[in-house]
Amino acid sequence: MQPKTMDDEQVAEPLTKADFEALARFRFGIRRYLRFSEQTVRSHGLTPQHYQLLLALKGFPGREWATMSELADRLQLRHHSVGELVNRAQAQGLVHRAPHPSDARAVRVELTPPGQSALGRLSALHRDELRRMGTALTVPDWGETPDGAA
């Protein structure tokens, strides 16, 4: 599941000192936020992976559940790794499996009330931290869209 990237030959123009500073500031903001997240979820008895799983479920577009394949995509993990993660989260009472409504081969994963509660507390802390960080996670603006159009 490698993300799509540009080839080295596709880089259009050299970077300036300001570009490097913007990239470094953004990377520092990401790392600072991730460190906060890791410490916060651990202090509440969860692993960062469990928090990511709960957030992926609650944040799934249009519904309150997801399939294992959808979670693998959202979490950028292999299917069997998601299965192990869901097993551990289910053993902690954070999620449960239910029959898929229209595909007997698939299973849907849903949050339990304790999972909802833990996610609510942790996500409020994450939102507040993002507010405190201000513009530290603002994507650098180079005046063009990701597809190259101005």
Side-chain angles (χ1 to χ4, degrees):
M1 288 186 199
Q2 290 290 325
K4 293 182 181 180
T5 60
M6 293 176 47
D7 293 329
D8 289 341
E9 296 81 36
Q10 292 177 309
V11 176
E13 59 189 79
L15 281 80
T16 66
K17 174 68 171 147
D19 290 335
F20 284 109
E21 289 175 7
L23 288 168
R25 185 174 44 254
F26 182 67
R27 175 66 177 83
F28 172 68
I30 291 171
R31 186 61 201 122
R32 194 172 105 197
Y33 176 75
L34 289 175
R35 183 173 181 166
F36 162 83
S37 180
E38 292 162 0
Q39 291 174 338
T40 300
V41 299
R42 283 191 176 107
S43 73
H44 284 79
L46 295 180
T47 66
Q49 295 80 11
H50 283 141
Y51 175 67
Q52 292 171 26
L53 171 65
L54 301 180
L55 187 58
L57 285 168
K58 186 67 174 179
F60 198 84
R63 60 181 195 252
E64 297 285 324
W65 57 271
T67 67
M68 299 293 260
S69 295
E70 291 167 336
L71 290 169
D73 183 52
R74 287 284 169 147
L75 298 172
Q76 292 294 287
L77 295 172
R78 296 189 187 281
H79 193 275
H80 73 275
S81 297
V82 171
E84 293 169 9
L85 179 60
V86 168
N87 286 342
R88 291 191 306 270
Q90 189 168 10
Q92 285 189 283
L94 301 170
V95 302
H96 68 90
R97 290 178 168 92
H100 191 283
S102 61
D103 185 350
R105 298 166 298 160
V107 62
R108 63 191 215 181
V109 181
E110 303 170 338
L111 289 172
T112 62
Q116 293 264 12
S117 178
L119 178 63
R121 284 190 311 273
L122 289 168
S123 293
L125 295 169
H126 282 77
R127 180 198 57 210
D128 294 347
E129 178 64 12
L130 284 171
R131 286 178 175 158
R132 277 189 294 280
M133 290 180 72
T135 61
L137 281 177
T138 302
V139 177
D141 181 12
W142 285 290
E144 52 189 53
T145 61
D147 65 0

